Amino acid sequence: MDNAIIAQELIHSMSNKKDRVGVMAIKIDLEKAYDCIEWSFIRDTLALFKFSKHLISLIMNYVSSSSISVLFNGALIIEKCKANLWDPITASRGGIAFSHIFFADDLMLFAKEDRKNCMAVRDALDTFFALSGQKISNEQSRVFFSPNV
C-alpha cells in the first residue's frame, strides 16, 4: 500500500512540474513475473551480495520448493544512481529521491528526462532482462512524462 501512495504522489508531482527539467515515469508490467525467473539468477544475485553458501542453499531450497517467490531487485538501478548516470526524482524540494518502486509484477522507474538517464534506464533494463529471463508485457506497460517535456 505504501508503494502505491508514493507512486501516486510522484505522478501528481510530475503533473504539476513547471521548471526547465522534465521527468519521466516508466510503468513496466512483467509477464509472468514469478513463473519465468531463472533459479540461477536468484542464486547468482545472492552470491553477488555475498550471502553465505549455507544461507543461499537455505533460500534456494525454500523458493524452489514452494509457491512463494522472492523478488530481489534494485541493484542495477542503485549502481547507476551511484555513478550519477541515473537521476532519481522527488515529489518536493528537498524530499526523498525515488528511482524505482516495485510491486508484485509491476515496476515503476523514475528519472529525469534526458539522453543520459534514458540510456542508463535502457542499459539497466537490458541487463536485468538478459540475466533474469523476464519479459515485458508491452500492452500493460506505459511511459509518463511531466508536462514540461
Side-chain angles (χ1 to χ4, degrees), residues 7-42:
Q8 185 176 11
E9 283 298 315
L10 289 168
I11 297 293
H12 176 74
S13 172
M14 285 175 59
S15 67
N16 294 325
K17 198 152 182 55
K18 294 180 178 131
D19 59 0
R20 291 181 14 196
V21 179
V23 294
M24 62 182 170
I26 305 168
K27 181 222 175 245
I28 297 173
D29 184 82
L30 300 174
E31 288 183 353
K32 300 179 185 174
Y34 300 117
D35 296 337
C36 65
I37 195 158
E38 299 288 333
W39 297 125
S40 59
F41 173 71
I42 295 173

Side-chain angles (χ1 to χ4, degrees), residues 54-86:
H54 174 71
L55 185 56
I56 292 172
S57 177
L58 188 67
I59 291 170
M60 294 308 300
N61 284 332
Y62 179 72
V63 298
S64 63
S65 64
S66 72
S67 62
I68 298 173
S69 298
V70 172
L71 183 60
F72 192 84
N73 47 48
L76 295 169
I77 297 169
I78 292 167
E79 290 304 313
K80 297 282 183 194
C81 290
K82 284 182 182 176
N84 292 319
L85 298 172
W86 182 319

Side-chain angles (χ1 to χ4, degrees), residues 86-111:
W86 182 319
D87 301 310
I89 69 170
T90 62
S92 63
R93 290 181 198 249
I96 297 171
F98 288 90
S99 56
H100 62 285
I101 297 175
F102 289 99
F103 300 93
D105 61 350
D106 287 331
L107 161 64
M108 288 200 70
L109 305 174
F110 301 96

